């Protein structure tokens, strides 16, 4: 065997080893691709289930929102009907406050008038008593 034949034999063995290594790598890549394919299929199934569940949930949420809107409209209508009541209560409070002010003014006027009357009555009584006492003195002196 010549040097060229030995080199060709080494190259053939190296090429065969390379082919075997590539076959092994390709088999492993094929297994990985198979696993990725299974994972993608499972993901697609899960997405399909989630989409169906989301659709049914969205339908239920839409129904709840419609009921909530109806309830809110009803509550707003009822609250609007109570507005006159609260206005009337406010007006009543204002009226009661005005009545209290008027009563306070009347009380102070009556108290002032009573005080003046009482003072006038006392002065009159004191004056009459003084006049009577003076008359009695004069009567005693005259006797």
């Amino acid at each position: 065997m010549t040097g060229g034949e030995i080199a060709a034999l080494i190259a053939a063995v190296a090429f065969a080893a390379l082919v075997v290594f590539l076959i092994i790598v390709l088999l492993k890549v094929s297994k990985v691709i198979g696993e990725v394919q299974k994972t993608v299929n499972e993901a697609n199934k899960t997405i399909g289930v989630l989409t169906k569940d989301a659709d049914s949930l969205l339908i239920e949420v839409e129904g709840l929102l419609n009921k909530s809107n109806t309830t809110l409209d009803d509550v707003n209508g009822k609250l609007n009907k109570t507005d006159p009541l609260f206005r009337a209560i406010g007006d009543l409070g204002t009226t009661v406050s005005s009545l209290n002010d008027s009563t306070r003014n009347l009380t102070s006027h009556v108290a002032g008038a009573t005080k003046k009357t009482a003072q006038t009555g006392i002065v009159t009584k004191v004056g009459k008593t003084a006049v009577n006492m003076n008359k009695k003195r004069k009567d005693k002196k005259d006797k």
Side-chain angles (χ1 to χ4, degrees):
M1 269 200 181
T2 65
E5 290 176 347
I6 293 176
L9 185 63
I10 291 174
V13 170
F15 183 73
L18 178 65
V19 168
V20 170
F21 177 74
L22 285 175
I23 289 172
I24 292 172
V25 168
L26 287 174
L27 286 174
K28 288 186 179 184
V29 167
S30 174
K31 286 182 182 178
V32 168
I33 288 174
E35 291 295 320
V36 168
Q37 183 64 34
K38 286 180 185 177
T39 303
V40 168
N41 287 338
E42 287 179 20
N44 285 338
K45 287 179 185 176
T46 303
I47 289 172
V49 169
L50 288 176
T51 302
K52 288 178 185 177
D53 289 347
D55 287 343
S56 63
L57 283 175
L58 286 174
I59 290 169
E60 288 185 31
V61 167
E62 184 179 356
L64 286 174
L65 286 174
N66 287 336
K67 288 179 183 178
S68 296
N69 286 338
T70 303
T71 303
L72 282 175
D73 289 341
D74 184 42
V75 167
N76 285 334
K78 289 178 180 174
L79 281 175
N80 286 336
K81 289 180 181 178
T82 61
D83 283 345
L85 172 67
F86 288 110
R87 274 191 226 108
I89 290 171
D91 293 343
L92 179 63
T94 303
T95 304
V96 168
S97 179
S98 297
L99 179 63
N100 284 339
D101 290 340
S102 297
T103 305
R104 198 173 297 120
N105 289 337
L106 178 63
T107 304
S108 65
H109 281 88
V110 168
T114 304
K115 192 174 184 181
K116 286 181 183 177
T117 304
Q119 287 174 352
T120 304
I122 290 171
V123 169
T124 304
K125 286 181 182 180
V126 169
K128 285 182 182 179
T129 305
V131 168
N132 287 337
M133 288 176 73
N134 198 15
K135 281 184 185 179
K136 286 181 183 179
R137 268 192 210 157
K138 283 184 183 180
D139 287 344
K140 282 186 182 181
K141 281 184 183 178
D142 291 339
K143 289 186 184 183

